[in-house]
Amino acid sequence: MKNKVNIFGCGGHARSVADVLLANEPDADIVFIDSHARPGEEIFGFPVQLAPPADGSVSYCAVGDNCIRRDMFADRQFDTLISKDCYLGKNCKIGVGTFVAHHAHIGPCAIIGIGCIINTGAVVEHEVKVGNFSHISVNATVCGRVEIGNRVFVGAGTTIRDKIHVCDDVIIGCGSTVVHDITEPGVYGGCPIHKIGNIK
């Protein structure tokens, strides 16, 4: 019997979540759930519908926006999904509902919060702390003993130097280099990093 799985969301990130799920469990029977579903819409041949089926299926959150994802967790419980192709270091901890993609590296004693995304090829090194509902994007590198707050987005290819602190509610643009603490919410980018604006 196939494992019934609900994936909430049908945007781009939903395809990444489904890809990891199907690599882990090729026989998974997926239903995508999205309030904007179009009649007859499918992803990878699986249906997209407006509401979840009335059963006890496993559920994953596949929404990339940190704040929307946080709000979804207030209404329901989501399961953790970790790719079999990632590396998990000794004594690392992964929060409930977090998604860890293919080829991600989570170093020893790292702590990842609730509802996070550690995306494809991301490196989160030893003793890093990542707050709830944060997203470490594709091929980003977070060096050892960094502390990242809640609802932080670290853009693709960004490097955060060791022992840096990043406060809550920060967006870091793609390809940035973070060489000093970020103590004020906002949008940051560049090499070295500088504040670009406020989060709208």
Side-chain angles (χ1 to χ4, degrees):
M1 181 175 171
K2 292 184 177 182
N3 295 324
K4 295 267 187 191
V5 180
N6 296 326
I7 295 180
F8 283 76
C10 69
H13 186 56
R15 287 151 175 82
S16 295
V17 170
D19 186 63
V20 167
L21 173 62
L22 291 169
N24 287 0
E25 301 180 41
D27 291 331
D29 185 12
I30 299 171
V31 176
F32 293 88
I33 313 298
D34 195 286
S35 60
H36 300 97
R38 299 184 302 271
E41 185 175 4
E42 293 184 344
I43 297 174
F44 301 152
F46 297 103
V48 180
Q49 61 187 46
L50 294 170
D55 60 28
S57 301
V58 172
S59 294
Y60 298 115
C61 186
V63 173
D65 184 281
N66 291 338
C67 291
I68 294 174
R69 195 167 63 256
R70 173 202 58 196
D71 294 345
M72 291 176 70
F73 272 69
D75 295 330
R76 70 176 61 246
Q77 183 174 344
F78 292 102
D79 295 284
T80 304
L81 179 58
I82 299 173
S83 170
K84 290 181 179 179
D85 292 334
C86 76
Y87 174 81
L88 300 179
K90 188 173 179 61
N91 294 334
C92 70
K93 296 179 182 178
I94 310 294
V96 173
T98 284
F99 170 71
V100 182
H102 297 310
H103 307 299
H105 173 105
I106 299 178
C109 303
I111 299 173
I112 311 298
I114 296 167
C116 291
I117 298 170
I118 310 299
N119 222 322
T120 308
V123 175
V124 178
E125 259 303 346
H126 62 89
E127 302 161 279
V128 168
K129 295 179 181 178
V130 178
N132 298 331
F133 309 110
S134 289
H135 183 163
I136 312 301
S137 195
V138 176
N139 289 330
T141 300
V142 182
C143 294
R145 298 183 179 173
V146 167
E147 293 190 17
I148 292 175
N150 301 310
R151 300 171 303 279
V152 173
F153 177 82
V154 178
T158 288
T159 299
I160 302 180
R161 198 199 72 196
D162 60 300
K163 301 179 183 177
I164 293 291
H165 176 83
V166 179
C167 69
D168 296 346
D169 299 307
V170 166
I171 295 172
I172 300 173
C174 298
S176 299
T177 302
V178 183
V179 294
H180 57 75
D181 291 351
I182 298 177
T183 58
E184 180 182 333
V187 180
Y188 293 78
C191 182
I193 197 105
H194 59 278
K195 188 170 184 182
I196 298 170
N198 298 316
I199 296 176
K200 295 179 180 179

